[in-house]
Amino acid sequence: MRAILAIDQGTTNSKAVLVSEKGEIVGRGSAPVGITYPKPGWVEQDPRRLYASVCEAIDACLNAAPDVAVEAVAISNQRESVTAWDAETGEALGPVVSWQCRRTAQDCERLTVEGHLHRVQALTGLPLDPMFPGSKFRWLLDRIPAGRSVRLGTVDSWLVHCLTGGRRHVCDASNAARSQLFDLREQRWSEELGEIFDVDIALLPEVLDSSADFGRTQGLPGVPDGTPIMAVIGDSHAALFGHGAFKPGDGKVTLGTGSSVMTTLPRFIPPRNGVTTTVAWRLHGKATFAFEGNILVCAASLPWMAGILGLSDVAALVELAASAEPGGPGFVPAFVGLGAPYWNSDARALFSQINFNTTRAQMARSVTDSIAFQVHDVIAAMRAQSGGELGALYVDGGPSQNRFLMQCVSNLIEHPVIQCEAPEASALGAAYLAGLSLGLWRDLQVIAELPRSSHIIDPEPVDRAVLLNTWNDALARSTARETTANDE
């Protein structure tokens, strides 16, 4: 059997799946990446370990399906995480600075004070926030010894570098669109943005379509040298593509460490209301745009709370939460600030409205409900800006498999959500794009008609006003910055 080997390189795990010509997954493998927190608000990974985890996931996947011949490789990847390496030796010259990392918050504040915010948003569709790579690239460059031949890139370009034995320095348009150095309308690296962030754009990779020839494998264990890499795309974009969300208004919520809410647009629409505009994917030189809201902490709060309550695992936490009625205390998971639609780096995690009658189940429920509240706020911002109807809304990622959690999301946004049984939406999207390159699937219509196993969760009536009042009160407390002696 022939299949596409799709790599899904995520924040906590690297996954690999084999996707057949029928669009079915015939093999799986995964491996942990590892993540460190060297200072408060700092989040980073080892680029060498990141690539090693990819190789381990591929090895496990191929061992699970030994009779499958790999036709091509496809990549989906965690976005906005960046690194640097030596162009001649391939040596890593710094850590992978994670999308979650807030180390450049002061740099972003300075650029805002200098008056660059509106211009950066107009060109890139992104706010001046340390989540995005512009300021992080500068941070890396400031720590590289003089005289090194430097390459800068997002995780996709680092993976392609490793997979091709250093022969290619490329990325795709979806990842470039999240870099803060890419002009969305012109679809190219911007000299002006390079000057704003003090980054030489000559160090950045060549930007290709999401479905294109990214090079040939070299030295990848278990995969013949010369196997083509035929697709690269950011993981959230890949999930949107994997669901077949091709009509304007269609969207998806990817739930993981953080969360990405994305809806397809009919054209480029400048961002406002705290959401971003991005390239969903680019085919044949033409970009499809999307709104996106990035939630910094989503499921990452669940194991934390399970530990606080002395529960065995996340499943036990969700079971406890489901036993409580909605409307208890509020909880804001602002462990690293807040992303969309608030974009507040100073926000702090907290519980609110706790009293002597508050139970363990209510505390658990406030944490699980924070997922739905954040999704609600992003969807509300998108609806307010687009003026169009919300179409089919898919949910994917680990927490999406839990009916209780997804029922809470559907209730709050007052819209059905489509729960997909296959959790590998990002890997499937990357594989579908590679299949387009190979001619396995003729066009988007054929991909949209591929069989998918899913379940529709319709909203149930809840007292949204009361629930949102509690949430908004907690938000207000989380984002209220106290005056200290140092501020006076």
Side-chain angles (χ1 to χ4, degrees), residues 173-466:
S174 73
N175 279 286
R178 309 301 293 176
S179 70
Q180 270 188 332
L181 296 168
F182 190 70
D183 187 321
L184 289 188
R185 288 185 177 87
E186 297 294 329
Q187 290 290 294
R188 59 176 176 78
W189 299 122
S190 166
E191 291 279 2
E192 180 182 353
L193 291 166
E195 292 176 2
I196 289 173
F197 289 100
D198 193 20
V199 173
D200 182 358
I201 63 171
L203 306 179
L204 298 170
E206 177 186 359
V207 181
L208 304 180
D209 287 350
S210 305
S211 179
D213 186 349
F214 287 84
R216 300 292 186 271
T217 60
Q218 182 69 38
L220 178 62
V223 177
D225 286 352
T227 300
I229 304 169
M230 300 304 291
V232 168
I233 186 170
D235 52 9
S236 288
H237 315 251
L240 190 70
F241 196 91
H243 290 307
F246 304 138
K247 298 177 182 177
D250 286 352
K252 62 90 201 179
V253 183
T254 296
L255 299 147
T257 304
S259 182
S260 164
V261 184
M262 191 178 286
T263 56
T264 309
L265 295 174
R267 63 189 184 284
F268 175 82
I269 299 176
R272 57 182 176 84
N273 296 334
V275 298
T276 66
T277 303
T278 192
V279 174
W281 50 78
R282 197 173 78 184
L283 299 173
H284 310 298
K286 182 179 179 180
T288 294
F289 294 100
F291 278 150
E292 182 171 14
N294 302 100
I295 297 168
L296 300 183
V297 175
C298 177
S301 62
L302 302 183
W304 169 82
M305 192 59 188
I308 293 291
L309 294 177
L311 299 170
S312 58
D313 53 26
V314 167
L317 175 76
V318 175
E319 182 179 0
L320 178 63
S323 70
E325 293 296 323
F331 172 69
V332 180
F335 296 96
V336 290
L338 286 171
Y342 330 100
W343 297 113
N344 189 319
S345 295
D346 293 325
R348 293 296 177 261
L350 58 77
F351 289 93
S352 70
Q353 301 189 29
I354 298 173
N355 56 52
F356 284 123
N357 293 320
T358 300
T359 66
R360 295 171 74 249
Q362 288 176 320
M363 297 287 284
R365 179 72 187 251
S366 68
V367 173
T368 59
D369 279 353
S370 70
I371 295 173
F373 283 124
Q374 291 183 100
V375 172
H376 166 272
D377 287 359
V378 172
I379 292 289
M382 290 178 173
R383 282 169 159 166
Q385 181 168 355
S386 69
E389 293 294 323
L390 184 63
L393 184 66
Y394 303 88
V395 290
D396 62 76
S400 72
Q401 301 303 296
N402 186 278
R403 172 64 186 252
F404 166 72
L405 294 177
M406 294 307 97
Q407 186 68 64
C408 292
V409 171
S410 179
N411 294 349
L412 269 179
I413 66 174
E414 296 183 294
H415 191 85
V417 300
I418 304 172
Q419 188 180 38
C420 302
E421 293 185 10
E424 300 92 346
S426 294
L428 283 170
Y432 294 160
L433 284 162
L436 283 177
S437 295
L438 295 171
L440 294 183
W441 301 295
R442 184 177 65 255
D443 53 30
L444 298 186
Q445 183 62 36
V446 173
I447 291 174
E449 293 172 355
L450 289 172
R452 294 171 175 84
S453 182
S454 61
H455 177 73
I456 298 176
I457 299 176
D458 291 311
E460 297 174 345
V462 295
D463 194 337
R464 295 174 65 255
V466 171

